[in-house]
Amino acid sequence: QVPLVESGGGLVQAGESLRLACAASGWRFDLFGMGWFRQAPGKERQLVAAISRRSSNKAYAELVKDRCTISRDNAQNTVYLQMNSLKPADTAAYYCAAATTGAARTRESDYVSWGQGLLVSVFS
Protein backbone atom coordinates (compact mmCIF):
# COMPACT_ATOMS: atom_id res chain seq x y z
CA GLN A 1 0.00 0.00 0.00
CA VAL A 2 1.20 3.46 -0.91
CA PRO A 3 -0.37 6.76 0.11
CA LEU A 4 -2.94 8.12 -2.33
CA VAL A 5 -5.16 11.07 -1.49
CA GLU A 6 -8.09 12.04 -3.71
CA SER A 7 -9.69 15.45 -3.89
CA GLY A 8 -12.19 17.35 -5.99
CA GLY A 9 -15.42 15.47 -5.47
CA GLY A 10 -18.70 17.03 -4.50
CA LEU A 11 -22.30 17.75 -5.39
CA VAL A 12 -22.93 19.09 -8.87
CA GLN A 13 -25.81 19.57 -11.23
CA ALA A 14 -26.18 17.45 -14.35
CA GLY A 15 -24.24 18.92 -17.23
CA GLU A 16 -21.53 20.41 -15.07
CA SER A 17 -17.89 19.36 -14.84
CA LEU A 18 -15.56 18.19 -12.12
CA ARG A 19 -11.86 17.52 -11.98
CA LEU A 20 -10.71 14.90 -9.55
CA ALA A 21 -7.12 14.80 -8.38
CA CYS A 22 -5.13 12.09 -6.69
CA ALA A 23 -1.85 12.97 -5.02
CA ALA A 24 0.87 10.48 -4.25
CA SER A 25 3.77 10.87 -1.89
CA GLY A 26 6.76 8.95 -0.68
CA TRP A 27 7.13 6.57 -3.61
CA ARG A 28 8.09 6.51 -7.27
CA PHE A 29 4.80 7.64 -8.75
CA ASP A 30 6.33 7.96 -12.20
CA LEU A 31 7.04 4.24 -12.43
CA PHE A 32 3.46 3.04 -12.20
CA GLY A 33 0.30 3.13 -14.20
CA MET A 34 -2.63 4.78 -12.47
CA GLY A 35 -6.35 4.29 -12.64
CA TRP A 36 -9.62 5.80 -11.58
CA PHE A 37 -12.45 3.52 -10.53
CA ARG A 38 -15.94 4.17 -9.29
CA GLN A 39 -18.51 2.31 -7.28
CA ALA A 40 -22.15 3.26 -7.34
CA PRO A 41 -24.48 2.20 -4.52
CA GLY A 42 -25.30 -1.48 -4.83
CA LYS A 43 -22.95 -2.01 -7.73
CA GLU A 44 -19.47 -3.41 -8.19
CA ARG A 45 -16.46 -1.18 -8.52
CA GLN A 46 -15.57 -0.56 -12.13
CA LEU A 47 -12.80 1.09 -14.09
CA VAL A 48 -13.39 4.63 -15.28
CA ALA A 49 -9.99 5.36 -16.84
CA ALA A 50 -6.37 4.27 -16.71
CA ILE A 51 -3.12 5.87 -17.77
CA SER A 52 0.36 4.48 -18.28
CA ARG A 53 3.39 5.81 -16.48
CA ARG A 54 4.42 8.24 -19.24
CA SER A 55 0.87 9.00 -20.38
CA SER A 56 1.50 7.26 -23.70
CA ASN A 57 -1.45 4.91 -23.26
CA LYS A 58 -4.88 5.56 -21.84
CA ALA A 59 -7.96 3.42 -21.44
CA TYR A 60 -11.53 4.45 -20.76
CA ALA A 61 -14.76 2.75 -19.87
CA GLU A 62 -17.16 2.83 -22.76
CA LEU A 63 -19.75 4.77 -20.75
CA VAL A 64 -17.44 7.69 -20.07
CA LYS A 65 -14.89 7.79 -22.87
CA ASP A 66 -16.46 10.78 -24.61
CA ARG A 67 -16.84 12.78 -21.41
CA CYS A 68 -13.75 12.00 -19.35
CA THR A 69 -10.05 12.63 -19.68
CA ILE A 70 -7.38 11.10 -17.52
CA SER A 71 -4.03 12.82 -17.23
CA ARG A 72 -1.05 12.88 -14.94
CA ASP A 73 1.72 15.20 -13.89
CA ASN A 74 4.68 13.14 -12.78
CA ALA A 75 6.52 16.22 -11.54
CA GLN A 76 3.63 16.86 -9.16
CA ASN A 77 2.97 13.17 -8.41
CA THR A 78 -0.65 13.68 -9.29
CA VAL A 79 -3.18 11.99 -11.55
CA TYR A 80 -6.34 13.76 -12.67
CA LEU A 81 -9.74 12.81 -13.97
CA GLN A 82 -11.61 15.52 -15.83
CA MET A 83 -15.29 14.70 -16.09
CA ASN A 84 -17.60 16.76 -18.30
CA SER A 85 -21.31 16.69 -18.97
CA LEU A 86 -21.92 14.84 -15.75
CA LYS A 87 -25.05 12.75 -15.42
CA PRO A 88 -26.90 11.43 -12.38
CA ALA A 89 -25.66 7.99 -13.41
CA ASP A 90 -22.14 9.19 -12.66
CA THR A 91 -23.00 9.42 -8.99
CA ALA A 92 -20.57 7.13 -7.18
CA ALA A 93 -17.60 6.89 -4.90
CA TYR A 94 -14.48 7.46 -6.99
CA TYR A 95 -11.16 5.87 -6.18
CA CYS A 96 -7.70 6.29 -7.60
CA ALA A 97 -5.34 3.38 -7.59
CA ALA A 98 -1.77 2.49 -8.43
CA ALA A 99 -1.14 -0.43 -10.76
CA THR A 100 1.40 -3.19 -10.39
CA THR A 101 3.21 -2.09 -13.57
CA GLY A 102 3.76 1.02 -15.66
CA ALA A 103 1.00 0.12 -18.11
CA ALA A 104 -2.56 1.41 -18.30
CA ARG A 105 -4.15 -1.60 -16.63
CA THR A 106 -7.88 -2.15 -16.88
CA ARG A 107 -8.57 -4.89 -14.38
CA GLU A 108 -9.16 -4.13 -10.73
CA SER A 109 -6.91 -7.05 -9.81
CA ASP A 110 -3.98 -5.24 -11.46
CA TYR A 111 -4.08 -2.51 -8.83
CA VAL A 112 -2.48 -2.86 -5.44
CA SER A 113 -2.88 0.47 -3.72
CA TRP A 114 -6.06 2.48 -3.36
CA GLY A 115 -7.05 5.90 -2.17
CA GLN A 116 -9.73 6.37 0.43
CA GLY A 117 -12.30 7.37 -2.17
CA LEU A 118 -14.41 10.44 -2.59
CA LEU A 119 -18.03 11.01 -3.40
CA VAL A 120 -19.35 12.53 -6.60
CA SER A 121 -23.06 13.25 -6.55
CA VAL A 122 -24.86 14.53 -9.63
CA PHE A 123 -28.43 15.80 -9.41
CA SER A 124 -30.76 16.60 -12.26
Side-chain angles (χ1 to χ4, degrees):
Q1 287 287 335
V2 294
L4 293 167
V5 180
E6 301 106 332
S7 61
L11 178 65
V12 296
Q13 192 168 17
E16 293 184 342
S17 299
L18 275 178
R19 188 174 80 154
L20 307 184
C22 174
S25 61
W27 53 284
R28 287 292 307 274
F29 174 81
D30 61 312
L31 295 182
F32 298 95
M34 298 294 296
W36 283 97
F37 290 75
R38 71 184 184 187
Q39 186 169 22
K43 296 187 177 181
E44 294 185 351
R45 190 157 56 184
Q46 58 181 195
L47 177 77
V48 179
I51 187 168
S52 60
R53 59 179 287 204
R54 294 193 179 98
S55 304
S56 54
N57 290 295
K58 301 177 183 180
Y60 294 94
E62 193 67 27
L63 285 176
V64 304
K65 66 178 184 177
D66 295 328
R67 300 185 293 117
C68 290
T69 302
I70 189 170
S71 61
R72 65 190 294 164
D73 183 340
N74 286 346
Q76 297 296 322
N77 289 348
T78 302
V79 60
Y80 302 96
L81 182 68
Q82 176 70 40
M83 301 189 294
N84 301 322
S85 302
L86 282 161
K87 305 175 181 180
D90 294 317
T91 295
Y94 284 73
Y95 301 86
C96 74
T100 56
T101 73
R105 311 297 296 188
T106 59
R107 297 181 305 179
E108 185 175 344
S109 59
D110 290 326
Y111 290 81
V112 292
S113 293
W114 296 82
Q116 79 283 1
L118 52 75
L119 188 61
V120 172
S121 297
V122 184
F123 65 94
S124 58

